[in-house]
Amino acid sequence: MTNTGDFRRYSYAGDTSYAVEAFNLTRSSAAPAYKPDTKRDFKVRGNSKRKSRSQLLQEQKIGLRKAAVIGVTSLLTIAMFFSVLSTNAKKNELTHEISNLETQLAVAESENTRINSELDALVSMSMIDKYAVEELGMSKVQSNQIVYVNVSEYKQQRQIAMEKLMAETGK
């Protein structure tokens, strides 16, 4: 793929010097090589003072304290990391368990709704009437079938019957 700018150098058919300059191999478009400055001189100076044995022991104790502090800090950091990791794992486990229980609850509630609606359909008055007429062979009550009972008379008759029964048995 070429763009129109590439053909400009060839557009002058009669000017050969322009075309020759386009292929000049002595000119380079690359950046000059980077050469780092290596003139730094590092000098090692020896320690002319010698330390006493007590100074060496003191520095050794300080070094051990620093190493102990670093070790304890590292152990605490690792312990905190694993405690956070285990807390997150437990949280994820409990979240998954809650999700499962919520799903089971939703299924149970929908089943309850279905059963209640089925029960309502079975208990409706029209269903009871239909069952009584078709399955049990019953018919609707008519006015001539209604009998009224006087409760006080019934109680007196029952009382008299109980007394007779008691007299006959001898008790």
Side-chain angles (χ1 to χ4, degrees):
M1 178 182 209
T2 59
N3 64 25
T4 56
D6 290 341
F7 294 106
R8 288 186 194 155
R9 61 182 169 187
Y10 301 113
S11 64
Y12 304 104
D15 189 9
T16 56
S17 65
Y18 181 77
V20 171
E21 280 183 20
F23 296 103
N24 187 359
L25 298 178
T26 60
R27 189 179 79 204
S28 173
S29 64
Y34 173 71
K35 294 181 183 177
D37 187 19
T38 58
K39 294 182 181 180
R40 292 184 183 176
D41 291 330
F42 293 106
K43 295 181 182 177
V44 178
R45 297 182 192 141
N47 191 358
S48 59
K49 294 182 183 179
R50 296 199 73 185
K51 295 183 181 179
S52 68
R53 185 156 183 81
S54 63
Q55 287 176 331
L56 290 174
L57 286 175
Q58 186 179 5
E59 287 181 6
Q60 188 177 19
K61 286 180 184 178
I62 292 171
L64 285 175
R65 281 189 207 133
K66 287 181 180 179
V69 167
I70 290 172
V72 169
T73 305
S74 299
L75 287 175
L76 286 175
T77 304
I78 290 170
M80 286 191 298
F81 173 74
F82 281 112
S83 67
V84 167
L85 188 66
S86 67
T87 302
N88 284 340
K90 186 68 173 174
K91 177 185 160 195
N92 287 342
E93 183 179 314
L94 292 175
T95 302
H96 184 68
E97 187 177 336
I98 288 170
S99 174
N100 286 340
L101 291 174
E102 286 175 347
T103 303
Q104 290 175 0
L105 178 64
V107 167
E109 285 176 348
S110 65
E111 181 71 15
N112 186 27
T113 303
R114 184 190 65 79
I115 290 172
N116 281 337
S117 64
E118 193 175 300
L119 179 65
D120 289 342
L122 290 175
V123 176
S124 69
M125 290 304 286
S126 62
M127 290 298 292
I128 293 172
D129 287 342
K130 182 178 177 184
Y131 182 77
V133 170
E134 292 178 1
E135 300 292 326
L136 300 177
M138 300 173 102
S139 62
K140 296 229 179 213
V141 177
Q142 299 180 2
S143 62
N144 62 354
Q145 294 175 326
I146 298 173
V147 177
Y148 294 100
V149 177
N150 188 351
V151 177
S152 61
E153 287 180 20
Y154 173 76
K155 284 183 180 179
Q156 285 177 351
Q157 289 174 0
R158 187 168 176 218
Q159 185 67 25
I160 294 170
M162 289 296 282
E163 288 174 1
K164 282 183 186 179
L165 183 65
M166 294 288 262
E168 290 176 1
T169 58
K171 290 186 179 180

